[in-house]
Amino acid sequence: MVICTEFQAIVLAGGKGSRMTELTAGQPKCLLPIGNKPMIWFSLQLLERSGFNECLIVVSESVKNDVSLSLDKLDLKIKMEIIGIQGAEDLGTADSIRLIHEKIHTDFLVLSCDLITDIDISETLNLYRKHNASITALMLPMIKVPDEFVTPGPKNKQRPETDLIGIDNETGRLVFLASASDFEETINISQKILRKHTSFTMHSKLMDAHVYIINKWVLDFLVFNKNFSTLKGELLPYIVTKQLSKPPKQSLEDKNTSMVQVNLKEDIFRFAVAKPLDELIRRMSAFNDHNTDLQEAYHGDIIRCYAHIMNDGFGLRANTIQMYHLANFKISDWSSSIIKSDLFLNTSSSATVKSTQVQNCSIDENAFIDEKTSLKFSHIGANTVVETKTRISNSVIMGNVTIKERCIIHNSILCNGSIIEEGTELKNCIVGAQHVVTSNSQHSREVLTEADRLIEI
């Protein structure tokens, strides 16, 4: 494995999971279990197997201790510095990066804590290096949801988010980036794009993995420009668009203008500056990134954005209830390609399992599984109690849950500290943190929780 030292790695884990509040009311999104690991483990493991030996982790100050305690239990070699930001759950991704800019000294890689994948990002790093890019983004094929898969909770007609990603067929340049929800019926493509990139494909079935390799000058621009709150929704589309622009010709008076006086959003080229040595090398080199005309390499562009499409392997972002549950549904199939073992299906040495009917399950520390119980394709969290004559299948049972005797739990998610009284039947349900489900009740496709837990203040 090649050790990566020229980039700093940043894992963004401060989000509150606004599209899955039913699950995150009881614990931070980054600590939600997938298999027997907290969600953030997958991003850290990705960095580790890609050659990174240290990283920064951005979390909300209010959960910093919880995250630290959880990470201390993981068998990871990567050195982690956890940075707590007050109110991080209400900040955009660009805001979070801006607040920690003093800790970033080089080009850097940003990824979200909700990426579940088996890929190695070395090729993405190499694409960035090859072209000395401004930003390189990783794109993955959109995962197909199996026909038999059912998302717990009420039926939801909301369509998954679709990205529109324009990529030059010859150079791999990222020339267009937007959400399909930004357009009603038609998409207007500027004449500048069509003239400059005569052959590009507009993809609608790629997933932006939220893995970005970013040049240090972009960070400097972001620090001085407070107008950008998010990376994907605001900063990236802006940088992609500015590829079509050229640096303005400056007079001597302009060059002496202080940074405070200029319009920074219009003057990005005060940060994106070509190094004289790079220009000299390109003029002396026979390299060209295109063959459709006789213009110089990169058409003289100082700002260059690239998309790396990784067709091998799998990947999803567990940022909705559907994708979170799908990750748990598929993790046993994926485990060998992520870590070359069945670690996700182990039973903790401190767990007590009296049942002989346990199939493809992970059981965490200090869990108690009584006799005459049946567990199939499920995750049982730490300190959870499952009493006798209970059947659980295709479900995620988080920590400190109590399930009384004679219950049937199928394809459901039970959050921290919930109590399921005896004789209860749950099918395709979500039970909120600390909620008590009354005995002998039957529920299907429901969210069972106190309403005020879902209210965002």
Side-chain angles (χ1 to χ4, degrees):
M1 179 179 69
V2 177
I3 296 177
C4 187
T5 58
E6 79 227 72
F7 301 101
Q8 288 181 262
I10 303 167
V11 179
L12 298 178
K16 58 186 174 182
S18 58
R19 285 181 282 183
M20 48 200 306
T21 53
E22 298 91 335
L23 309 185
T24 55
Q27 66 176 317
K29 172 186 168 182
C30 65
L31 297 184
L32 290 175
I34 294 179
N36 62 345
K37 301 291 184 185
M39 183 185 292
I40 193 175
W41 179 89
F42 293 87
S43 296
L44 297 172
Q45 216 275 333
L46 167 62
L47 291 174
E48 194 172 277
R49 67 174 180 268
S50 298
F52 287 86
N53 52 23
E54 59 183 39
C55 70
L56 303 174
I57 302 173
V58 180
V59 302
S60 175
E61 181 64 38
S62 61
V63 301
K64 181 179 177 180
N65 289 337
D66 292 339
V67 173
S68 180
L69 289 172
S70 180
L71 294 180
D72 285 344
K73 298 177 183 178
L74 302 178
D75 185 23
L76 288 167
K77 299 182 178 68
I78 190 168
K79 180 182 177 182
M80 298 166 277
E81 180 182 350
I82 303 173
I83 304 171
I85 295 179
Q86 199 70 39
E89 63 273 11
D90 296 317
L91 295 176
T93 48
D95 294 326
S96 296
I97 295 295
R98 188 185 294 111
L99 286 172
I100 66 165
H101 74 274
E102 292 181 350
K103 290 183 174 290
I104 305 172
H105 312 291
T106 65
D107 296 351
F108 59 103
L109 179 146
V110 177
L111 71 161
S112 174
C113 70
D114 56 26
L115 178 62
I116 316 298
T117 182
D118 68 341
I119 64 168
D120 184 325
I121 56 175
S122 299
E123 291 182 26
T124 313
L125 295 170
N126 285 338
L127 179 65
Y128 177 90
R129 294 183 181 109
K130 178 180 178 180
H131 299 292
N132 190 22
S134 303
I135 295 176
T136 298
L138 173 64
M139 307 295 174
L140 297 171
M142 196 173 291
I143 193 166
K144 185 180 185 305
V145 178
D147 293 337
E148 70 275 13
F149 180 80
V150 177
T151 303
K155 290 184 179 180
N156 191 342
K157 295 181 180 180
Q158 184 178 358
R159 294 182 178 180
E161 183 179 351
T162 300
D163 296 318
L164 297 177
I165 303 166
I167 302 176
D168 189 293
N169 295 324
E170 183 180 16
T171 65
R173 290 276 287 270
L174 179 60
V175 301
F176 188 90
L177 180 63
S179 171
S181 61
D182 295 339
F183 305 92
E184 293 184 1
E185 294 182 358
T186 60
I187 303 171
N188 295 322
I189 307 294
S190 74
Q191 289 292 326
K192 281 187 177 181
I193 292 180
L194 297 175
R195 283 195 299 267
K196 189 170 185 177
H197 302 279
T198 56
S199 175
F200 69 89
T201 300
M202 188 71 77
H203 298 268
S204 62
K205 294 186 178 180
L206 288 177
M207 178 191 74
D208 182 345
H210 210 294
V211 174
Y212 309 125
I213 307 163
I214 302 177
N215 199 295
K216 177 64 165 57
W217 74 256
V218 177
L219 174 65
D220 296 336
F221 172 66
L222 179 64
V223 169
F224 278 94
N225 193 316
K226 306 297 193 294
N227 295 320
F228 300 104
S229 181
T230 65
L231 293 176
K232 178 182 175 181
E234 297 173 6
L235 180 64
L236 258 69
Y238 179 76
I239 301 290
V240 167
T241 301
K242 295 303 286 186
Q243 292 178 104
L244 301 171
S245 303
K246 297 293 183 185
K249 294 182 179 180
Q250 294 179 320
S251 65
L252 182 60
E253 183 180 344
D254 292 332
K255 292 179 181 179
N256 293 330
T257 303
S258 74
M259 193 66 76
V260 176
Q261 293 174 298
V262 300
N263 184 337
L264 291 169
K265 189 159 186 178
E266 295 302 322
D267 223 348
I268 192 173
F269 290 100
R270 288 184 178 264
F271 299 88
V273 179
K275 298 176 181 178
L277 184 59
D278 290 341
E279 292 181 320
L280 178 62
I281 290 172
R282 278 200 293 274
R283 284 199 299 269
M284 298 177 66
S285 170
F287 169 78
N288 203 330
D289 67 324
H290 58 276
N291 55 26
T292 53
D293 55 52
L294 298 177
Q295 293 190 36
E296 61 181 306
Y298 307 117
H299 291 95
D301 295 341
I302 296 175
I303 300 175
R304 300 186 292 275
C305 300
Y306 288 85
H308 181 217
I309 301 176
M310 185 79 78
N311 289 312
D312 297 329
F314 69 87
L316 62 77
R317 289 192 62 198
N319 57 355
T320 64
I321 291 176
Q322 181 189 51
M323 289 294 106
Y324 170 74
H325 197 58
L326 181 62
N328 275 288
F329 182 77
K330 299 287 288 184
I331 198 63
S332 60
D333 298 334
W334 294 341
S335 61
S336 60
S337 62
I338 294 177
I339 53 173
K340 312 303 179 188
S341 76
D342 291 327
L343 183 61
F344 298 109
L345 299 178
N346 72 340
T347 296
S348 171
S349 59
S350 63
T352 301
V353 181
K354 295 185 175 182
S355 173
T356 59
Q357 300 181 56
V358 177
Q359 178 183 350
N360 283 36
C361 292
S362 62
I363 303 175
D364 279 357
E365 56 190 19
N366 299 319
F368 177 82
I369 311 299
D370 209 345
E371 60 185 0
K372 298 181 181 179
T373 54
S374 172
L375 276 63
K376 297 181 179 179
F377 303 98
S378 295
H379 165 70
I380 310 298
N383 305 304
T384 285
V385 175
V386 181
E387 295 187 1
T388 187
K389 298 181 181 178
T390 284
R391 302 200 305 268
I392 302 174
S393 57
N394 297 90
S395 294
V396 178
I397 315 298
M398 298 187 191
N400 299 292
V401 173
T402 299
I403 304 175
K404 299 294 183 67
E405 61 183 27
R406 296 184 293 103
C407 291
I408 299 175
I409 315 292
H410 175 70
N411 197 53
S412 295
I413 301 174
L414 278 54
C415 295
N416 284 355
S418 56
I419 298 174
I420 314 301
E421 298 286 6
E422 64 271 9
T424 298
E425 294 186 20
L426 300 176
K427 183 178 181 181
N428 306 324
C429 287
I430 298 171
V431 180
Q434 314 301 325
H435 187 72
V436 178
V437 181
T438 56
S439 60
N440 298 309
S441 57
Q442 297 181 340
H443 304 274
S444 177
R445 305 213 71 145
E446 296 181 47
V447 175
L448 306 171
T449 189
E450 283 73 26
D452 58 355
R453 283 188 173 272
L454 302 182
I455 297 176
E456 294 183 28
I457 299 175

